Amino acid sequence: MSTISTVTVKVPATTANLGPGFDCIGAALQLHNEFKFTRNDSGLVIQVSGTEADKVQIDESNLLYQAFVKLYEYIQKTPPSVKIEIKLGVPLARGLGSSATAIVGGLVAGNALAGSPLSDMQVMELAIAMEGHPDNVVPAFLGGCRLAATGLNGWKICDLTWHKDIIPVVAIPDFELSTSEARKVLPTEISRADAIFNAAHLGLLLRALATSREEWLKAALQDKLHQPYRKALIPGYDNVETSALAAGAYGMVISGAGPTLLALTDNLHTQAVVTAMANAWKQEGITSHVRSLPIDVQGAVIL
C-alpha cells in the first residue's frame, strides 16, 4: 500500500508531425504544465491557475482526472479522493499537446500515488491508448524527439537525434483549432505517389534533424498527407510561411493539428524569424505569441 500523499508532475508541451511525420513523430519543448495531486477526504477538488484557466473543466470530466482514474481502473483499484492543483503554461487547443500533458500527467501521478505498480512502458501504452496516437504523448512522457511505430507485440519507440544547431520557433495565434476539426478535413485515401513522397521525405527528415544540413532540412519538411488540407483552416498561413522563409527559416510546418506554426532555423536567424512570423500574422489582423523554444530532454518528471 502506497504511503505517498502528494505528488507533483511537470509535463512538457510537444510539437507533433514535423511535416511528413504525421501521427508518428513528435518533440518535447521547454514549455510546461504542472499538476499537483494531494489525497483528501472531501471529494474531488480541482483548482486551475495560469492563462486560460477559466476554460479548464473542474469536475470529473477533466481530462487530467480521467487519466488518473484510468490508471486505477487498469490496476483494478478504487482511485483515492484527491485535490488537484493545475498550473497552466501550455496554451489550450493550439497544437502544442495540451491534452497530452493532461493524459501523461494524470497517469504518472496516479501510478506514483498507487505505489508505482506499472512500468514506464505500461504507463506510456495507456497514454497512447487514451490519446489515440503516439506523436504527442510519447515525447511528453519521455522527452526529446521520438518516433513511434507499432511492432509485432506492442509499440516500438525510437529516440531521434536533434542537432543542437536546429532551433524551433513556435508562432502561437490567439485563436483555437480543435484536433477533431483538423482531422475532419483530411482525405480517407491518398495516392501511391503521395505515399512515396511522404515516405521519402520522412527518411530525409530523420537525417536532416541529426545533421542540420540546410539543403536536407529545406526539402525534408514538405508533406502531402495533412498540411495541404489543414492550412486552409489557419488564416494567414501562406503569409507567415513566406515571411519565415525570407527571414532565414529552413521551413515551416503546422505544429500538431494547428493552429500553432513551427519554423526551424539556426541561431543566426532565430530573432529575425520570430519577428517576421509575428509581423506576418499582425498584417492579417491576428495577435500571436512567437518565441523560440529549446527541446525538452527530460519529459514528464515528478518534482
Side-chain angles (χ1 to χ4, degrees):
M1 185 76 177
S2 172
T3 57
I4 298 175
S5 60
T6 300
V7 62
T8 303
V9 185
K10 186 172 76 169
V11 189
T14 49
T15 182
N17 302 326
L18 301 182
F22 181 56
D23 273 7
C24 64
I25 283 187
L29 302 172
Q30 288 186 26
L31 184 68
H32 302 87
N33 283 338
E34 192 174 300
F35 311 111
K36 181 179 181 180
F37 287 72
T38 305
R39 293 175 186 267
N40 69 9
D41 297 319
S42 54
L44 176 64
V45 177
I46 301 178
Q47 298 175 343
V48 190
S49 63
T51 310
E52 303 179 308
D54 58 325
K55 296 181 181 179
V56 176
Q57 299 294 324
I58 55 172
D59 56 22
E60 291 184 354
S61 66
N62 180 283
L63 182 59
L64 176 71
Y65 180 70
Q66 289 181 348
F68 178 77
V69 170
K70 177 72 75 175
L71 188 287
Y72 278 87
E73 288 177 348
Y74 186 81
I75 63 174
Q76 299 182 324
K77 290 187 177 180
T78 302
S81 176
V82 287
K83 175 184 177 182
I84 303 174
E85 297 166 77
I86 300 172
K87 292 181 181 178
L88 289 179
V90 181
L92 305 172
R94 298 297 207 288
L96 288 169
S98 59
S99 64
T101 70
I103 290 170
V104 170
L107 292 173
V108 169
N111 196 45
L113 282 181
S116 302
L118 300 186
S119 68
D120 284 352
M121 192 65 194
Q122 287 174 306
V123 174
M124 189 167 61
E125 287 179 344
L126 271 179
I128 294 171
M130 280 195 73
E131 179 84 327
H133 41 92
D135 50 347
N136 283 305
V137 292
V138 170
F141 185 70
L142 297 174
C145 185
R146 305 281 173 166
L147 170 68
T150 50
L152 294 175
N153 49 3
W155 287 93
K156 306 302 175 188
I157 310 300
C158 177
D159 58 316
L160 304 178
T161 300
W162 186 292
H163 197 283
K164 61 180 177 59
D165 291 341
I166 302 174
I167 309 299
V169 174
V170 294
I172 309 167
D174 64 355
F175 62 89
E176 297 182 0
L177 177 58
S178 73
T179 302
S180 60
E181 289 300 312
R183 286 192 177 273
K184 285 179 183 176
V185 301
L186 301 182
T188 55
E189 296 181 350
I190 61 167
S191 67
R192 179 190 298 174
D194 285 354
I196 294 170
F197 180 96
N198 263 61
H201 283 75
L202 177 56
L204 182 61
L205 177 63
L206 304 186
R207 292 296 299 141
L209 288 174
T211 61
S212 81
R213 282 183 59 168
E214 181 176 356
E215 70 274 22
W216 287 357
L217 276 166
K218 286 184 174 180
L221 293 171
Q222 297 178 71
D223 159 79
K224 291 195 175 181
L225 288 187
H226 67 110
Q227 294 192 145
Y229 309 99
R230 287 175 165 173
K231 60 187 277 189
L233 301 175
I234 304 174
Y237 179 98
D238 289 332
N239 190 18
V240 178
E241 181 179 43
T242 300
S243 300
L245 294 176
Y250 298 122
M252 188 191 82
V253 296
I254 300 172
S255 179
T260 292
L261 300 176
L262 170 77
L264 299 184
T265 186
D266 56 21
N267 283 293
L268 182 64
H269 297 94
T270 299
Q271 190 52 52
V273 171
V274 167
T275 302
M277 296 177 82
N279 287 341
W281 248 332
K282 189 176 181 180
Q283 291 169 8
E284 304 283 337
I286 295 170
T287 302
S288 64
H289 181 57
V290 188
R291 60 191 290 193
S292 61
L293 288 173
I295 297 296
D296 180 288
V297 297
Q298 287 187 298
V301 293
I302 295 177
L303 301 178

